[in-house]
Amino acid sequence: MREGWGLQGQAPQSKGHISQAVKGESRRWTNIPFLQNVLNNQQFLAGTVDTQFIDENPELFQLRPAQNRAQKLLHYLGHVMVNGPTTPIPVKASPSPTDPIVPAVPIGPPPAGFRDILLREGPEGFARAVRNHEGLLLMDTTFRDAHQSLLATRVRTHDLKKIAPYVAHNFSKLFSMENWGGATFDVAMRFLYECPWRRLQELRELIPNIPFQMLLRGANAVGYTNYPDNVVFKFCEVAKENGMDIFRVFDSLNYLPNMLLGMEAAGSAGGVVEAAISYTGDVSDPSRTKYSLQYYMGLAEELVRAGTHILCIKDMAGLLKPTACTMLVSSLRDRFPDLPLHIHTHDTSGAGVAAMLACAQAGADVVDVAADSMSGMTSQPSMGALVACTRGTPLDTEVPMERVFDYSEYWEGARGLYAAFDCTATMKSGNSDVYENEIPGGQYTNLHFQAHSMGLGSKFKEVKKAYVEANQMLGDLIKVTPSSKIVGDLAQFMVQNGLSRAEAEAQAEELSFPRSVVEFLQGYIGVPHGGFPEPFRSKVLKDLPRVEGRPGASLPPLDLQALEKELVDRHGEEVTPEDVLSAAMYPDVFAHFKDFTATFGPLDSLNTRLFLQGPRIAEEFEVELERGKTLHIKALAVSDLNRAGQRQVFFELNGQLRSILVKDTQAMKEMHFHPKALKDVKGQIGAPMPGKVIDIKVAAGARVTKGQPLCVLSAMKMETVVTSPMEGTVRKVHVTKDMTLEGDDLILEIE
């Protein structure tokens, strides 16, 4: 069935009817919804209908409203053709013109895997099977952490689904696949305009035999702040119902109360609990005393006592050296002989393969790897390297090498589609300076991306140095989301404003620090090992409130039913439990995602090249909306700019001519010049960084005091509260909510 045809499938319009573009498509009468109901009716399908069929089945007239998917997709494609990608692009690089090669998959169900053991014997039996397994087990991170680390988390479900059946049929020996959680939940909605829950559902259907693993940020779930306990518990419950198996639970500060909350939530949902200790420092260096071997062993005791099924060492920056691996893993193995040990690392320094082999030889049961073409640098060590190095030894992974080659070839092609996000645009090799700056692999490319968006792309070396200083200012933190984001936000703030550590500390009472830094010092994500840095904390907070103990413990339960009703009222459609949880964790991001997809339609049906850059003029292509519904589209032309700042984009859709009016946002910007704040004029408040105005705290005529919040800017998930440097009266506000500003753009004037 073709979408886009008129009344009863009439012939396409002639070229003389371009002006009658489908503005009123949803108002055309069509019997297609009625016929769809007939074709889906079980009595009709069984062939037992008679002349009373329609009278006896009034539900045939319960017609679904037209979705206008074709029109919405044309609107999106036209928007991209005129204004460029809807997701921010860090470097100017086009997607590869070559599609990735999808290797052949045999007909029939995939072979049994470790998930069959889990379904049969439950989490405890699964953990025993892992510990009793001979040889080294592997977790493949390609579907999550590898692309988070190399491609700024931008890989779309569209490309994951293509290779998923091959993985199910050829990698049944894997311990698990990490494919969810971490930054993917946020990025899916914020930048890819797709539902993260749908990704989980669709991958589960395609890969029924391999356990799925997710990264759960303890009491932060998949967000950057603490949530009410009932939200975390409900999230784990619904994730398990949608096919998640193993929950790697960590806390960005190794703050035990937050970890225990996440472990309890995952366990009560029926998931496998894998408690993860975040690793920093160097246990093999006697001079590094804050995060010593004794520190990690003591934390492990607490987690085992709490009932974890598996213990993980999460080396998020790739700081584990082979000697440290041997010391730490052998100590854990001696202390907990029956507990499965799982080691995670990044290959930023280039020592990842050596480190993971050392862990395996010291007694680790599972190590993390990525497809060869998605490994190395800030990603995980190479799957092929670990498979080859252990072949024929007691650690043999039993993963066939030839399958690894085909898998890598697919990802080499798929990676080319995301050239604009690839870390190799600026990072040509691994870098041992990670032992100094300790930037997590999953943050490295995102941090560089943020630096570009804030105009600091040429100063990334300075950002990395500032990252070290920011970390020390905050007390030498364990750095992993969200604590790593806090350090990164502070580092970029320092570079943006030309501040050294000494200057930032000296001016701490006057500066408008990023919101994440202020909230960390208030205690909103927990208590860091060794306590908060003083006097820096007191200078920044002044009289702001402070949270004592576990932040989530003081939060009242969220009324999920009331939130569901609110979402139904706003979006006017069926709202799922998954939607409610997305809104609970990311209310603004979810609202924008729903509004965007309501306007632009099912973007997951577009291939990645079209999604990112749109079609070329005269390009013909097909878009499969669902089985049996394919759009045949040709991009025809883009008009000159009209007086309203719009361009008309012409398409041919299933043989019919269509046109879309698109506002040229760049032309509109050029028609509007925003004033800059003059630094030598007292009372003119400028934007401290490029960003979007998400909140305005004052109005003209308001009295303000020194340090009072004026507005909130957001850039690439980093929020900054702009505060008043003086006491006075607001003379004029020059910005509105949702306005995009450049650095030093005038926000308001105080007199």
Side-chain angles (χ1 to χ4, degrees):
M1 182 184 298
R2 291 184 174 185
E3 288 211 356
W5 288 75
L7 177 63
Q8 298 179 355
Q10 66 187 28
Q13 300 171 8
S14 69
K15 295 193 177 182
H17 289 83
I18 286 180
S19 62
Q20 297 178 11
V22 194
K23 291 187 257 184
E25 181 180 2
S26 63
R27 293 191 294 271
R28 293 180 179 178
W29 184 87
T30 172
N31 62 356
I32 289 177
F34 170 77
L35 294 176
Q36 287 176 323
N37 288 346
V38 171
L39 293 172
N40 288 320
N41 182 276
Q42 293 303 311
Q43 184 181 347
F44 178 83
L45 293 173
T48 59
V49 299
D50 55 27
T51 56
Q52 301 300 312
F53 171 64
I54 292 179
D55 292 332
E56 294 171 352
N57 292 274
E59 69 276 6
L60 296 174
F61 292 95
Q62 295 176 3
L63 309 180
R64 289 187 302 171
Q67 300 179 67
N68 280 347
R69 291 179 293 181
Q71 186 75 356
K72 291 175 179 178
L73 282 177
L74 292 186
H75 188 30
Y76 175 79
L77 293 170
H79 182 84
V80 175
M81 291 171 72
V82 171
N83 295 307
T86 56
T87 185
I89 301 291
V91 294
K92 291 183 179 180
S94 298
S96 166
T98 307
D99 290 328
I101 298 172
V102 182
V105 176
I107 297 174
F114 264 88
R115 187 165 189 260
D116 296 273
I117 298 174
L118 174 58
L119 295 177
R120 185 172 63 247
E121 301 183 20
E124 290 79 10
F126 175 77
R128 283 193 299 272
V130 170
R131 185 69 192 100
N132 294 332
H133 179 79
E134 294 184 6
L136 179 65
L137 289 168
L138 303 178
M139 180 176 89
D140 177 23
T141 69
T142 308
F143 279 43
R144 209 259 334 154
D145 202 16
H147 75 84
Q148 178 171 325
S149 302
L150 297 177
L151 305 175
T153 329
R154 290 309 196 274
V155 172
R156 302 169 66 232
T157 303
H158 183 90
D159 296 309
L160 298 175
K161 286 165 58 180
K162 283 185 178 180
I163 193 64
Y166 182 83
V167 174
H169 281 271
N170 294 284
F171 293 105
S172 60
K173 299 291 185 180
L174 289 176
F175 164 80
S176 67
M177 293 179 62
E178 189 191 40
N179 60 0
W180 213 58
T184 59
F185 196 93
D186 171 30
V187 171
M189 293 188 291
R190 188 189 298 261
F191 297 128
L192 304 181
Y193 308 110
E194 60 182 47
C195 175
W197 298 97
R198 187 173 178 186
R199 172 181 294 191
L200 176 58
Q201 294 158 358
E202 292 180 331
L203 291 178
R204 181 78 284 168
E205 187 175 341
L206 295 169
I207 308 175
N209 57 331
I210 301 172
F212 282 178
Q213 182 152 340
M214 73 162 290
L215 190 61
L216 186 78
R217 298 167 178 162
N220 302 135
V222 288
Y224 303 104
T225 187
N226 276 265
Y227 299 99
D229 293 355
N230 71 313
V231 173
V232 180
F233 274 79
K234 188 65 176 178
F235 175 87
C236 291
E237 176 189 324
V238 176
K240 179 70 170 60
E241 290 172 356
N242 278 278
M244 186 48 59
D245 299 304
I246 305 170
F247 295 76
R248 175 178 284 174
V249 183
F250 77 101
D251 179 75
S252 67
L253 301 173
N254 280 345
Y255 182 52
L256 193 61
N258 279 351
M259 293 185 69
L260 296 179
L261 186 280
M263 292 170 64
E264 186 181 352
S268 65
V272 177
V273 179
E274 181 179 296
I277 299 174
S278 297
Y279 178 86
T280 194
D282 183 358
V283 297
S284 64
D285 183 351
S287 68
R288 305 286 296 273
T289 57
K290 183 171 184 178
Y291 301 105
S292 63
L293 180 62
Q294 291 70 31
Y295 165 76
Y296 292 111
M297 293 301 293
L299 198 51
E301 290 276 4
E302 297 284 356
L303 298 175
V304 173
R305 191 178 299 121
T308 189
H309 299 118
I310 299 169
L311 184 65
C312 171
I313 298 298
K314 178 176 169 57
D315 177 23
M316 56 280 173
L319 304 180
L320 271 173
K321 301 168 186 172
T323 302
C325 291
T326 301
M327 290 177 61
L328 181 57
V329 175
S330 59
S331 296
L332 291 170
R333 175 50 65 228
D334 291 343
R335 178 65 189 85
F336 309 109
D338 300 324
L339 185 70
L341 298 178
H342 188 167
I343 313 299
H344 167 86
T345 194
H346 289 256
D347 200 20
T348 310
S349 71
V353 172
M356 291 304 94
L357 287 172
C359 287
Q361 291 162 353
D365 300 283
V366 191
V367 298
D368 290 358
V369 295
D372 294 3
S373 55
M374 290 288 288
S375 69
M377 295 198 290
T378 54
S379 178
Q380 278 64 57
S382 156
M383 176 187 287
L386 265 295
V387 170
C389 288
T390 57
R391 177 179 277 184
T393 74
L395 297 173
D396 198 322
T397 64
E398 299 182 29
V399 173
M401 279 296 291
E402 60 275 13
R403 302 291 182 260
V404 175
F405 301 152
D406 291 340
Y407 187 43
S408 179
E409 183 181 19
Y410 171 81
W411 279 109
E412 185 171 2
R415 185 170 175 174
L417 298 172
Y418 299 92
F421 308 99
D422 202 312
C423 70
T424 56
T426 53
M427 184 181 182
K428 302 303 180 186
S429 66
N431 200 330
S432 58
D433 72 357
V434 70
Y435 292 125
E436 177 183 339
N437 58 52
E438 300 180 348
I439 298 174
Q443 183 187 26
Y444 200 100
T445 49
N446 284 301
L447 187 66
H448 198 201
F449 187 7
Q450 283 181 324
H452 267 281
S453 71
M454 296 174 64
L456 301 176
S458 62
K459 296 183 177 181
F460 190 58
K461 187 175 181 181
E462 293 175 43
V463 171
K464 289 196 289 184
K465 289 183 177 179
Y467 193 96
V468 178
E469 290 192 326
N471 177 50
Q472 294 304 318
M473 285 172 62
L474 297 173
D476 187 13
L477 301 180
I478 290 168
K479 292 167 290 299
V480 60
T481 307
S483 61
S484 56
K485 178 183 181 298
I486 293 162
V487 178
D489 288 353
L490 179 55
Q492 290 180 108
F493 174 81
M494 291 166 66
V495 175
Q496 181 83 35
N497 292 281
L499 297 168
S500 66
R501 175 185 176 182
E503 290 168 334
E505 289 177 330
Q507 302 172 40
E509 291 180 88
E510 287 79 34
L511 292 170
S512 298
F513 286 101
R515 176 180 283 187
S516 62
V517 175
V518 176
E519 291 183 347
F520 160 71
L521 294 172
Q522 287 180 274
Y524 279 120
I525 69 166
V527 182
H529 176 57
F532 290 99
E534 289 291 359
F536 181 69
R537 184 194 195 197
S538 295
K539 285 183 176 181
V540 173
L541 295 185
K542 296 182 275 294
D543 57 353
L544 287 174
R546 306 181 186 203
V547 176
E548 302 298 333
R550 182 171 71 82
S554 60
L555 296 175
L558 181 65
D559 189 337
L560 296 172
Q561 288 185 331
L563 177 57
E564 180 179 9
K565 183 179 183 304
E566 179 185 323
L567 294 175
V568 171
D569 291 343
R570 170 166 181 171
H571 300 291
E573 58 184 58
E574 183 180 349
V575 172
T576 66
E578 291 81 4
D579 290 334
V580 174
L581 288 164
S582 296
M585 295 189 181
Y586 289 100
D588 294 338
V589 173
F590 177 77
H592 177 67
F593 159 68
K594 293 296 284 185
D595 292 343
F596 190 95
T597 51
T599 302
F600 290 122
L603 302 184
D604 54 354
S605 58
L606 295 176
N607 69 43
T608 297
R609 195 178 300 106
L610 290 171
F611 172 78
L612 289 176
Q613 69 177 20
R616 299 179 300 275
I617 298 298
E619 180 179 354
E620 297 184 52
F621 53 95
E622 292 186 346
V623 177
E624 186 177 38
L625 297 177
E626 58 185 81
R627 190 173 182 181
K629 291 188 178 180
T630 300
L631 304 176
H632 302 268
I633 303 173
K634 181 177 182 179
L636 298 177
V638 179
S639 76
D640 292 334
L641 195 70
N642 65 19
R643 291 182 179 180
Q646 299 170 313
R647 298 182 189 274
Q648 199 163 13
V649 186
F650 298 95
F651 295 95
E652 187 177 281
L653 171 66
N654 294 340
Q656 294 179 303
L657 288 167
R658 301 287 179 90
S659 70
I660 306 291
L661 270 176
V662 178
K663 182 183 294 184
D664 190 323
T665 54
Q666 186 58 41
M668 296 297 285
K669 282 182 184 177
E670 292 170 0
M671 294 163 67
H672 171 74
F673 296 94
H674 194 92
K676 295 288 184 181
L678 301 176
K679 296 184 184 298
D680 56 346
V681 177
K682 188 177 182 182
Q684 290 203 357
I685 313 302
M689 65 178 191
K692 183 178 182 180
V693 179
I694 61 172
D695 193 12
I696 300 172
K697 302 285 190 181
V698 295
R703 289 287 300 172
V704 294
T705 58
K706 185 177 180 180
Q708 180 177 334
L710 301 174
C711 79
V712 183
L713 299 180
S714 176
M716 292 301 299
K717 299 189 286 188
M718 178 174 130
E719 292 185 5
T720 295
V721 179
V722 180
T723 59
S724 177
M726 58 186 285
E727 185 175 337
T729 302
V730 177
R731 190 173 77 83
K732 185 177 181 181
V733 178
H734 291 267
V735 298
T736 57
K737 192 175 179 182
D738 295 328
M739 180 181 285
T740 300
L741 303 178
E742 299 297 327
D744 296 324
D745 277 0
L746 184 61
I747 295 175
L748 52 78
E749 297 176 75
I750 299 174
E751 59 184 6

